[in-house]
Amino acid sequence: GAAAGLPGPYCASFLTDQQNRLFASTHTARGETILNRLDGAPGAPFRINIPPRIVGRGWGTAQLSMQDHDGDWWIPTGQGLVRFTGKRKAEDLAAATPVAVYTVKDGLTSDDIYRIFEDSRGDIWVAANGLVRFVRSQGRFVLENPDGPSAFGEDGAGNTWVGFWSGDLLRYRGESPELFTARDGVPVGTIQSIFPDRRGRLWIGSADGGVARVDDPGAPRPVFTRATPAEGLSSRQVNCITEDAWGRIYLGTGRGVDRLDAERGHVRHFTTADGLAGSEIILCAADRTGALWFSSQAGVSKLV
């Protein structure tokens, strides 16, 4: 069913803190970023204390605000990347003062940040008009690609995967990226989501080509096994991917949620008739209790 208590129906991203508590990030009409606790005791929504001069929230979704492995918080906006340190809980951001606001002057390709991702080395990947990586060991931003990416992920071997609006897919094994395209089996259309499951497989969701599964993402020539409506999916549009406690894969699509049992080849569809707030699912996440959360333009829904 739909979750109540959000200041608006649209959730821009889900995020977890170091205690593995799940929050929904929403925005007010004035561009303020509001965090809402979803799992456990919800508590009152609170505003992140971003400097008043930064009024634009940007147009990014999904991989947005996050807490890194050191406990620092990184908050993308339309006017730079805001960083907080020394704040263990998300609630501490309500009264915190940022230590930095990174902009094009610091090496970003744009002040409008629409996705960020931390890899297992602690580097921060930033999607704007181009792809930039904050190299933690050097304390600076490095340009990786002039094109702006659309999704990030990492496989079990520590390789970073970057998807692009063009449908291209890059794998970083070390410093040199490897390019995969539709000719290699990557689903066509903008790469919307890159998700590693607990079995070590990598799932690639696209805007127009369904989903692809990579059973050995560290292989020299990874094999992409695709699924589209011809294989039982409800839509060619796969915006987000998550997993339940039994290892079943859930796809947030343009027509509800598809649950995949990859071993049996079975797909179950969930729609608004099952309690989803809306049909086009933009975001999905699993919380620490095992419940799954799905966000649409019409609201946020929870599956227990």
Side-chain angles (χ1 to χ4, degrees):
L6 301 184
Y10 181 60
C11 171
S13 68
F14 293 128
L15 63 111
T16 56
D17 62 12
Q18 286 189 326
Q19 301 172 39
N20 206 25
R21 301 179 303 161
L22 184 68
F23 293 82
S25 176
T26 60
H27 302 286
T28 68
R30 293 183 293 176
E32 298 171 316
T33 299
I34 308 294
L35 294 186
N36 307 261
R37 173 85 182 275
L38 293 178
D39 62 325
F46 57 92
R47 180 181 67 85
I48 296 178
N49 187 35
I50 292 174
R53 69 179 185 276
I54 301 177
V55 295
R57 71 165 184 87
W59 57 276
T61 58
Q63 294 168 308
L64 288 177
S65 305
M66 71 171 191
Q67 188 176 27
D68 69 18
H69 74 284
D70 280 340
D72 287 4
W73 289 89
W74 301 72
I75 314 295
T77 76
Q79 295 174 292
L81 181 59
V82 181
R83 183 181 183 182
F84 297 88
T85 62
K87 302 302 174 186
R88 183 166 159 268
K89 291 185 176 182
E91 292 88 345
D92 297 333
L93 299 175
T97 300
V99 296
V101 179
Y102 301 111
T103 67
V104 292
K105 296 179 181 179
D106 302 290
L108 299 181
T109 55
S110 169
D111 291 347
D112 193 353
I113 312 301
Y114 50 81
R115 285 207 182 203
I116 59 174
F117 174 76
E118 184 187 27
D119 65 24
S120 57
R121 294 174 299 184
D123 290 354
I124 308 294
W125 299 73
V126 182
N129 289 342
L131 171 61
V132 174
R133 178 165 58 100
F134 179 76
V135 182
R136 195 176 290 267
S137 62
Q138 302 174 15
R140 67 186 183 97
F141 291 94
V142 174
L143 178 66
E144 293 286 351
N145 196 294
D147 294 329
S150 55
F152 296 110
E154 184 174 303
D155 62 31
N159 304 312
T160 299
W161 294 73
V162 185
F164 289 82
W165 302 98
S166 63
D168 289 348
L169 186 65
L170 291 181
R171 178 177 66 179
Y172 283 82
R173 292 197 298 175
E175 297 300 321
S176 299
E178 303 163 277
L179 173 65
F180 303 100
T181 68
R183 292 188 297 272
D184 301 295
V186 177
V188 298
T190 296
I191 304 300
Q192 302 280 69
S193 182
I194 303 173
F195 180 80
D197 69 17
R198 67 187 64 191
R199 294 181 55 181
R201 303 173 299 188
L202 200 68
W203 297 80
I204 315 293
S206 85
D208 195 44
V211 70
R213 188 188 77 241
V214 183
D215 290 339
D216 186 3
R221 297 300 304 173
V223 176
F224 297 85
T225 302
R226 288 181 290 186
T228 67
E231 287 73 41
L233 299 190
S234 59
S235 172
R236 299 181 64 87
Q237 177 187 349
V238 176
N239 297 319
C240 61
I241 307 168
T242 191
E243 182 179 20
D244 69 15
W246 292 272
R248 294 173 297 192
I249 299 298
Y250 292 73
L251 309 178
T253 80
R255 295 180 176 176
V257 173
D258 287 349
R259 184 176 74 192
L260 307 185
D261 187 330
E263 282 62 47
R264 295 189 299 166
H266 180 260
V267 182
R268 178 178 175 182
H269 308 297
F270 297 92
T271 69
T272 52
D274 301 294
L276 284 175
S279 294
E280 184 178 1
I281 305 302
I282 308 298
L283 309 168
C284 48
D287 69 24
R288 59 183 180 179
T289 72
L292 304 182
W293 297 82
F294 302 94
S295 177
S296 71
Q297 292 280 6
V300 175
S301 306
K302 178 182 180 182
L303 175 65
V304 180

